[in-house]
Amino acid sequence: MTRKPSLYSVHPSVVTARAVIDNLPAKTGRSLEGWIQLLRRDGPSDTAARRAWLKDVCKLGGTTAWMIVDRAEGRGAEDTDPKAYLAAAAGYVEAMYSGPRAGLRPMHDALLKGVRARHADVKVCPCQTIVPLYRTHVIAQIKPATKTRLDFGLALKGARGKLPRRLVPTGGLEKGDRITHRIELTSPQQIDDELWKWFEVAHDLDG
């Protein structure tokens, strides 16, 4: 049976984490599995103590120690393994729109349909509370903000001209975040030509 391709792409953070794991043998002399075996054999049993032991005794970086401990304790596969991430991604979206936020799902689906119809180079990479959209960097994100409102965030740093009042500042410009503005959506009818105009601006700014 041919497996249906995933609707989603691997999150860039997972790609980065996978590279760290793949480079462990060259950088440390042990593979991930080797570090897990060593930790279980010689390290402490407490999670925090294990991380400290890997950093202080084995001289590993904090992020590397965190990943090894998580994997040793049966967590974090979706954060470091592309296949595990893609298997979890659909579940993130289902959970996001379960219960009282189920009514927001049609708007979410309409946004993704519009994004995919416009640009094949945009990657959809769900997290547990938001769905970021990447070109080279994050250019937009979909977030169920309340039970009745979906926020379509946009990376508009460098956009020229006067922005309409509909584009609500997120504080991203001041904080250095990628997402600088959002469009608040409470009905599918608000996914209109103006919204797509500003999505195109965000897409082109990351060209």
Side-chain angles (χ1 to χ4, degrees):
M1 180 182 293
T2 302
R3 179 175 294 181
K4 186 177 180 180
S6 175
L7 295 173
Y8 307 115
S9 299
V10 179
H11 196 286
S13 68
V14 178
V15 176
T16 301
R18 185 70 241 176
V20 171
I21 288 174
D22 289 344
N23 288 329
L24 279 175
K27 293 190 70 173
T28 70
R30 285 189 177 88
S31 66
L32 173 64
E33 292 73 21
W35 279 108
I36 290 173
Q37 290 173 5
L38 179 69
L39 178 63
R40 289 173 174 169
R41 188 188 70 213
D42 298 340
S45 57
D46 175 73
T47 298
R50 281 177 157 179
R51 291 172 182 152
W53 183 78
L54 287 172
K55 289 189 292 182
D56 299 340
V57 177
C58 301
K59 307 303 180 185
L60 297 180
T63 299
T64 302
W66 192 284
M67 288 191 291
I68 292 170
V69 173
D70 275 359
R71 294 297 292 272
E73 297 179 356
R75 299 186 302 272
E78 67 278 7
D79 298 327
T80 58
D81 182 86
K83 290 183 179 178
Y85 168 79
L86 290 176
Y92 293 159
V93 176
E94 293 301 322
M96 216 177 294
Y97 295 103
S98 63
R101 293 183 177 179
L104 299 174
R105 184 62 186 266
M107 288 191 290
H108 169 96
D109 291 345
L111 286 169
L112 288 191
K113 182 178 179 181
V115 167
R116 290 191 171 105
R118 285 167 172 80
H119 294 291
D121 65 344
V122 174
K123 300 180 288 291
V124 182
C125 307
C127 301
Q128 292 191 28
T129 59
I130 59 174
V131 178
L133 309 177
Y134 287 82
R135 192 179 183 192
T136 301
H137 308 90
V138 173
I139 61 170
Q141 71 179 25
I142 302 170
K143 179 180 180 179
T146 71
K147 296 176 183 178
T148 58
R149 192 186 89 223
L150 199 70
D151 285 350
F152 190 49
L154 295 165
L156 294 176
K157 182 180 179 180
R160 297 181 179 180
K162 184 177 181 181
L163 302 184
R165 292 181 62 185
R166 186 184 184 190
L167 287 168
V168 180
T170 64
L173 285 172
E174 294 77 13
K175 294 182 291 185
D177 294 341
R178 286 284 304 169
I179 300 300
T180 60
H181 295 79
R182 70 176 189 269
I183 295 178
E184 299 178 350
L185 302 171
T186 55
S187 73
Q189 289 70 35
Q190 293 172 314
I191 303 174
D192 54 14
D193 290 343
E194 184 182 47
L195 177 147
W196 293 121
K197 168 192 170 181
W198 290 105
F199 173 73
E200 292 293 340
V201 172
H203 178 273
D204 292 346
L205 284 170
D206 198 41

